[in-house]
Amino acid sequence: MTCYDRRDLGLLLLRLGTGGVLAAHGAQKLFGWFGGHGLEGTGQFMESVGYAPGKASATAAGLAETGGGALLALGLATPAAGAAAAGAMAGASAVHVPNGFFAQSGGYEHAASLGLAAAGLAVTGPGRLSLDHALGHTVDRGWMVPAALGATAAVTAVVIGMRSKRLRRREEGEQEALFEE
């Protein structure tokens, strides 16, 4: 086995593992599979952590995770798939940042790892053991990488920024008055 063959096998394993985990997490949100809460329960949670409207936020996150994860696993439309999954994981990381890094404390370790792996696959490409390769890379062009990652970064920044603003307003509304009126 040559180095090139090992690289393709390594990318396949990385795609299957990362994509499979992402798709399973998305299916929890969308369909309630694997012990998830479906759109209703996830929507309520999303609303509680500042992503509004909750059900639309749950749908967007679920589609990015399920679709991005499945496409990554298949090695199809890899730049868009990796970018979508990375964006969803950036949104998840934002929720967990107050708890620190490690997942055992409710931190962002898991979401950040999945997001970085997805972004790395978007940049690196799927390898030869992929549908992108089999289809002649029609939806995996070099220009698609910066376009997909740039568009996702912009949208993610806006969404997380709006969440932060909502949380600040919520916190300000819950503070007690400093002086009696």
Side-chain angles (χ1 to χ4, degrees), residues 1-12 15 74-75 78 124-137 140:
M1 187 177 264
T2 67
C3 287
Y4 195 69
D5 293 331
R6 287 179 26 215
R7 181 180 148 299
D8 291 324
L9 183 57
L11 286 170
L12 173 65
R15 286 192 351 260
L74 295 169
T78 304
T124 304
R128 290 186 301 177
L129 301 172
S130 66
L131 287 179
D132 275 338
H133 181 76
L135 298 172
H137 296 278
D140 177 33

Side-chain angles (χ1 to χ4, degrees), residues 3 18 25 36 39 42 49 63-64 71 99 107-108 119 139 144 153 157 181:
C3 287
T18 303
H25 277 277
L39 282 177
T42 304
V49 295
L63 289 172
L71 290 172
N99 300 321
Y108 63 95
V139 288
M144 294 175 180
E181 291 186 26

